[in-house]
């Protein structure tokens, strides 16, 4: 029987619903992001946002896909990692829909979904993945049945670093896009702490230094330019080492920060030096959305994965490399 999967995503500040077919066709992908006027995201406020907006977003995803509830044959939801209250609000919607529609349920790892949607879009089979977002910064490659983390941040994620710096500058959350715009106008490089330790990166030192520089009346475009060049350079170094080590011929850039064109340009250069193909996920599939959950749900379900409602508790600390990837047999 052909599968039509509704994927529900709600690990952090965004709630999304997407419908994907087992042919990998994205039939709809609707989301809404909580963006407070000031300050960061409070988990309870975000979960309330999901409970309030979720039903309408799901209904819209069905309408845009041109289907009714009874055309859904599978429900996938983001089981983790993420903020506990947000995950629980999302899981509750997924469970009640699965019970009502009498269709199976699968729980998807959010980070794995960012990789799989990139593979669907690019046709890549086995990339080195640079996954960059507000909560994660990881260089990942598949080995021994799991997505192994070759390198990651030792402290804050790259997107979080950009958002916190932006908040200092009075920019609205999320600040990544505004910093990118400013950086395009900058040209002078101010030195910031460049911190690569083995295969890992660290962003908290450069955040502190950038905030200090900001008080020295350095033009904002130059400061944003310097932040981007330093932060992206660190990632490029780790990615390059992962490519050289694994000898994989594909490089994938995914996650919300993948929307940054300068980062794509730098990593494309790294991939080219190693004769690897390169792909950046397109903006609608870069951030948190339901289509990536739906597609990964289809892959898991097809490989035999099932999750009973009774067992469908959420996993706030579920790491990328903690899941057996049953649908890939490469190694
Ligand atoms: P995850 O749960 O995977 O960590 P997330 O909750 O942070 O994801 P995403 O939508 O994947 O959500 O990523 C959001 C991040 O992407 C924010 O930190 C935002 O500032 C950043 N971002 C968005 N656009 C850009 C851009 N053009 N340049 C840099 N960063 C960007
Ligand atoms: Fe994400």
């Amino acid at each position: 029987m052909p599968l039509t999967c509704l994927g529900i995503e709600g690990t952090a500040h965004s709630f999304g619903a997407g419908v994907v077919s087992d042919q990998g066709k994205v039939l709809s992908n609707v989301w809404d992001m909580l963006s407070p006027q000031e300050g960061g995201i409070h988990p309870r406020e975000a979960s309330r946002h999901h409970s309030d907006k979720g039903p309408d977003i799901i209904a819209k995803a069905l309408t845009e896909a041109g289907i009714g509830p009874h055309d859904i044959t599978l429900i996938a939801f983001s089981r983790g990692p993420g903020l506990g209250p947000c995950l629980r609000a999302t899981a509750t919607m997924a469970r009640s829909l699965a019970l009502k529609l009498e269709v199976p349920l699968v729980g998807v790892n959010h980070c794995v979904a960012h990789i799989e949607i990139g593979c669907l879009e690019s046709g890549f089979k086995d990339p080195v993945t640079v996954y960059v977002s507000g909560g994660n910064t990881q260089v990942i490659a598949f080995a021994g049945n799991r997505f192994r983390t070759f390198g990651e941040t030792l402290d804050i994620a790259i997107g979080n670093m950009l958002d916190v710096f932006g908040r200092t500058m009075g920019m609205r959350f999320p600040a990544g896009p505004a910093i990118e715009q400013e950086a395009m106008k900058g040209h002078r490089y101010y030195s910031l702490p460049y911190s690569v330790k083995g295969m890992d990166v660290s962003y908290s030192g450069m955040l502190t230094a950038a905030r200090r520089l900001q008080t020295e009346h350095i033009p904002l475009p130059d400061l944003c330019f310097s932040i981007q060049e330093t932060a992206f350079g660190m990632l490029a170094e780790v990615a390059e080492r992962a490519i050289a080590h694994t000898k994989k011929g594909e490089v994938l850039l995914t996650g919300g920060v993948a929307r940054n064109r300068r980062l794509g340009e730098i990593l494309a250069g790294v991939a080219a030096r190693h004769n690897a193909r390169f792909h950046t996920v397109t903006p609608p599939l870069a951030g948190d959305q339901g289509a990536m959950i739906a597609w990964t749900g289809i892959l898991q379900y097809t490989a035999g994965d099932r999750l009973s409602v009774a067992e469908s508790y959420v996993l706030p600390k579920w790491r990328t490399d903690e899941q057996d990837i049953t649908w890939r047999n490469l190694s």
Side-chain angles (χ1 to χ4, degrees), residues 46-220:
S47 76
R48 201 171 304 135
H49 164 266
H50 297 356
S51 313
D52 289 350
K53 299 268 176 82
D56 282 349
I57 292 171
I58 292 170
K60 199 164 168 220
L62 298 190
T63 308
E64 284 190 11
I67 63 168
H70 293 287
D71 297 315
I72 296 170
T73 53
L74 178 66
I75 306 269
F77 72 103
S78 52
R79 197 180 180 194
L83 305 170
C86 300
L87 292 171
R88 284 191 288 276
T90 306
T92 304
M93 281 181 253
R95 286 180 203 123
S96 46
L97 275 172
L99 289 172
K100 172 121 181 68
L101 301 173
E102 296 179 12
V103 295
L105 185 68
V106 288
V108 170
N109 181 301
H110 176 93
C111 311
V112 168
H114 273 295
I115 302 172
E116 289 296 359
I117 198 71
C119 287
L120 172 67
E121 195 182 50
S122 58
F124 285 179
K125 295 277 175 279
D126 187 22
V128 166
T129 300
V130 178
Y131 163 40
V132 278
S133 61
N136 290 281
T137 305
Q138 297 183 334
V139 176
I140 302 160
F142 188 78
N145 234 28
R146 296 210 173 180
F147 284 116
R148 309 281 170 183
T149 310
F150 277 69
E152 63 189 321
T153 177
L154 294 170
D155 40 55
I156 54 172
I158 188 166
N160 186 232
M161 180 272 292
L162 295 170
D163 294 335
V164 173
F165 175 76
R167 201 188 308 158
T168 312
M169 304 305 300
M171 294 170 180
R172 209 171 148 179
F173 174 87
I179 291 174
E180 179 176 19
Q181 290 305 316
E182 289 295 334
M184 282 180 200
K185 296 179 264 166
H187 46 82
R188 182 157 171 211
Y189 180 76
Y190 289 86
S191 183
L192 289 167
Y194 178 99
S195 180
V196 175
K197 296 173 184 167
M199 288 294 279
D200 294 324
V201 297
S202 156
Y203 287 122
S204 65
M206 67 162 288
L207 173 61
T208 308
R211 288 167 117 175
R212 196 175 312 125
L213 274 186
Q214 179 255 324
T215 61
E216 293 173 16
H217 307 295
I218 287 165
L220 183 59

